[in-house]
């Protein structure tokens, strides 16, 4: 009964959106009762069409699935129509309205190729509608400059772009994996959230209070993993790893880190905006922007939580911060787990009421190195954005297919320990972090 009631509410909301869209597309063009009647007809037709689409999509929807693509496309077109009507009411014509709608749709796709495609499709739709109005002559030409035609242009551009995008870009960049499930159902996720808006270097201490465990700061001799043997599998034999690489993973705090960031030029303006508006206020994922920032030095420490009633074992939080100010760079919870005879490293980056997890598959590297890759040969590896219900602790998990990273740790020809940490988005590389690890004095 609850499920039926929820579906009825969803259909009702969709019908209301459809009614507004239908009224925008068919509403008054030149005024008068005829225009008002046409708007009423459009509202009824829009409500019926979008309500029917929503009902059909929800009926076919499986648990933990989002509605079908065709239903989402129809909804996006309906949402664009009233915005187009407003733009037309202040004098915007179909071409600029459609181009703007396509641009917004492309920007929401995030992938650079989609961003570029959006205004192209939007402009094509706008010119096409204008040409059709001109061929109609007289009344059709006058209608080409009306709010209703601008609403039509916005809806058509949005739907047109999404159809073309679905045909051209076949691989989804984000997908819903699970909705409101216990953590045991998704072992590749590290479900550690921040209960405040600022994560910061004190996160592990706060986590210990939440879990009722014992907090230890800056453990003297500990690694981000207890043992590389936990990662043994068909593609990785821990016995073949160079002793220095093994020591770094199992005794990370014996080493200091130098970071040299190598950003692609095209991503720097966007990253500067992200750093200012999100990373610094959040106290998380604040990678050095340039060499000057990296020269401030990096402090690396591991805090632990032990003896927590519902968290057996040791929770390890690797905290990297700037040496001069203590401002956080990364705050990550490092875990390992095994699945079907393979071991994985899962790193959870706490966010307010959420977590971003990188699950990495280990592979051997020539010369005794170790590669951890999110694009592994199994379905476990990847990146996952997880919302954690504060009341039930159930998880809603999105797989972020468009993001990829590869960590390559090795010993160079001079016997120095190094690492290359490469990141890509939508298949386009945008950052490599070059690490040089040194033993701390006295080791």
């Amino acid at each position: 009964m609850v499920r039926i009631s929820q579906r009825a509410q969803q259909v009702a909301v969709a019908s209301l959106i459809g009614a507004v869209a239908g009224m925008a597309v068919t509403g008054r063009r030149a005024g008068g009762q005829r225009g008002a009647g046409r708007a009423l007809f459009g509202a009824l037709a829009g409500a019926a069409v979008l309500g029917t689409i929503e009902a059909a999509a929800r009926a076919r929807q499986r648990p933990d699935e989002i509605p079908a693509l065709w239903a989402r496309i129809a909804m996006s077109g309906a949402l664009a129509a009233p915005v187009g009507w407003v733009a037309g009411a202040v004098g915007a014509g179909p071409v600029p309205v459609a181009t703007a709608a396509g641009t917004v749709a492309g920007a929401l796709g995030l992938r650079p190729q989609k961003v570029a495609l959006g205004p192209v499709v939007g402009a094509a739709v706008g010119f096409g509608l204008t040409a059709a109005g001109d061929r109609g002559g007289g009344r059709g030409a006058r209608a080409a400059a009306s709010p209703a035609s601008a609403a039509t242009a916005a809806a058509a551009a949005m739907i047109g772009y999404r159809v073309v995008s679905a045909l051209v870009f076949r691989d989804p960049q984000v997908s819903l994996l699970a909705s409101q499930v216990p953590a045991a159902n998704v072992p590749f996720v590290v479900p550690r959230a921040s209960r405040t808006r600022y994560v910061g270097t004190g996160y592990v201490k706060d986590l210990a209070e939440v879990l009722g465990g014992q907090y230890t700061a800056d453990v003297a001799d500990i690694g981000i993993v207890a043992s590389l043997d936990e990662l043994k599998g068909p593609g990785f034999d821990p016995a073949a790893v160079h002793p220095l690489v093994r020591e770094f993973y199992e005794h990370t705090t014996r080493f200091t880190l130098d970071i040299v960031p190598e950003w692609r030029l095209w991503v720097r303006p966007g990253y500067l905006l992200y750093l200012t508006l999100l990373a610094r206020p959040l106290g998380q994922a604040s990678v050095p922007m340039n060499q000057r920032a990296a020269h401030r030095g990096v402090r690396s420490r591991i805090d632990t939580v032990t003896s927590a009633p519902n968290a057996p074992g040791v929770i390890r939080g690797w905290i990297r911060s700037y040496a001069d100010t203590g401002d956080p760079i990364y705050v990550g919870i490092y875990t390992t787990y095994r699945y079907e005879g393979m071991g994985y490293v899962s790193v959870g980056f706490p966010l307010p009421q959420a977590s971003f997890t990188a699950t990495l598959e280990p592979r051997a590297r020539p010369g005794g190195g170790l590669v951890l890759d999110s694009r592994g040969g199994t379905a476990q590896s990847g990146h996952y954005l997880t919302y954690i219900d504060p009341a039930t602790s159930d998880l809603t998990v999105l797989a972020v297919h468009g993001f990829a990273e590869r960590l390559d740790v090795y010993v160079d020809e001079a016997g120095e320990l190094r690492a290359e940490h490469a990141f890509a988005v939508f298949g386009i590389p945008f950052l490599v972090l070059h690490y040089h690890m040194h033993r701390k004095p006295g080791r």
Side-chain angles (χ1 to χ4, degrees):
M1 181 66 68
V2 174
R3 186 177 181 85
I4 295 175
S5 176
Q6 183 180 17
R7 184 179 299 175
Q9 292 176 5
Q10 292 164 340
V11 172
V13 171
S15 298
L16 178 61
I17 294 173
V20 175
M23 188 164 52
V25 169
T26 62
R28 288 188 298 171
R29 298 175 186 264
Q33 292 298 319
R34 186 177 178 185
R38 186 166 48 237
L40 177 60
F41 172 79
L44 294 174
V49 170
L50 201 61
T52 301
I53 290 174
E54 183 72 12
R58 296 294 178 179
R60 296 183 57 181
Q61 185 181 7
R62 297 177 181 178
D64 301 334
E65 254 189 1
I66 58 177
L69 176 62
W70 45 268
R72 303 200 307 271
I73 291 175
M75 178 61 74
S76 63
L79 290 171
V83 179
W85 190 95
V86 172
V90 297
V95 173
V97 168
T99 303
T103 301
V104 171
L108 292 175
L110 296 180
R111 194 189 310 197
Q113 300 93 320
K114 287 189 173 184
V115 174
L117 179 65
V120 174
V121 173
V125 169
F127 281 114
L129 291 174
T130 300
D134 290 342
R135 283 197 299 270
R139 182 175 167 185
R142 289 192 301 273
S146 69
S149 62
T152 302
M158 182 67 72
I159 292 172
Y161 165 79
R162 296 206 60 184
V163 170
V164 172
S165 177
L167 294 174
V168 174
F169 305 104
R170 307 291 295 179
D171 53 324
Q173 299 303 295
V174 178
S175 62
L176 178 66
L177 288 186
S179 177
Q180 294 293 299
V181 300
N185 289 19
V186 283
F188 43 83
V189 166
V190 181
R192 301 298 178 196
S194 173
R195 61 178 178 176
T196 64
R197 293 184 178 182
Y198 186 81
V199 180
T201 57
Y203 170 77
V204 180
K205 182 179 181 180
D206 185 65
L207 179 63
E209 295 177 1
V210 172
L211 298 178
Q214 180 178 344
Y215 168 70
T216 305
D218 197 5
V219 179
D221 191 6
I222 192 173
I224 53 178
V225 300
S227 172
L228 280 187
D229 295 335
E230 298 174 358
L231 305 182
K232 185 176 182 180
F236 176 64
D237 180 8
V241 173
H242 192 286
L244 197 57
V245 174
R246 176 184 281 269
E247 184 181 7
F248 172 72
Y249 276 97
E250 296 177 352
H251 302 277
T252 310
T253 54
R254 293 180 182 177
F255 298 85
T256 61
L257 282 77
D258 292 332
I259 302 178
V260 178
E262 182 185 344
W263 290 92
R264 294 293 178 96
L265 290 177
W266 65 268
V267 80
R268 287 191 178 191
Y271 180 71
L272 182 60
L273 187 65
Y274 155 83
L275 196 65
T276 304
L277 298 181
L278 188 61
R280 286 172 180 162
L282 189 61
Q284 176 67 288
S286 183
V287 179
M289 181 67 189
N290 48 40
Q291 189 66 36
R292 184 178 64 183
H295 280 163
R296 296 164 58 186
V298 176
R299 184 191 175 197
S300 170
R301 79 174 200 257
I302 295 179
D303 296 354
T304 63
V305 179
T306 55
S307 305
N310 296 320
V314 179
I315 297 175
R316 303 160 190 262
W318 190 13
I319 300 165
R320 282 150 287 181
S321 57
Y322 288 106
D324 57 349
T325 63
D327 293 336
I329 298 174
Y330 273 122
V331 179
I333 304 297
Y334 281 71
T335 67
T336 61
Y337 80 100
R338 297 190 61 79
Y339 181 79
E340 295 185 349
M342 292 185 62
Y344 299 87
V345 175
S346 285
V347 187
F349 298 97
L351 302 170
Q353 212 55 58
S355 174
F356 185 75
T357 300
T359 295
L360 310 173
E361 182 178 317
R363 292 201 301 271
R365 183 188 193 276
L370 170 60
V371 173
L372 295 175
D373 200 337
S374 66
R375 293 290 176 90
T378 69
Q380 300 289 298
S381 56
H383 291 88
Y384 308 95
L385 182 61
T386 304
Y387 167 75
I388 304 169
D389 191 301
T392 64
S393 296
D394 286 342
L395 310 182
T396 298
V397 183
L398 295 175
V400 187
H401 308 289
F403 195 81
E405 66 177 295
R406 172 190 168 102
L407 177 60
D408 190 352
V409 182
Y410 62 96
V411 177
D412 66 13
E413 296 178 354
E416 299 287 338
L417 187 60
R418 295 185 178 273
E420 311 293 332
H421 201 172
F423 299 86
V425 61
F426 312 122
I428 302 174
F430 68 92
L431 170 65
V432 178
L433 296 176
H434 303 276
Y435 290 96
H436 194 179
M437 290 83 91
H438 310 270
R439 287 185 182 276
K440 292 180 179 178
R443 289 289 183 184

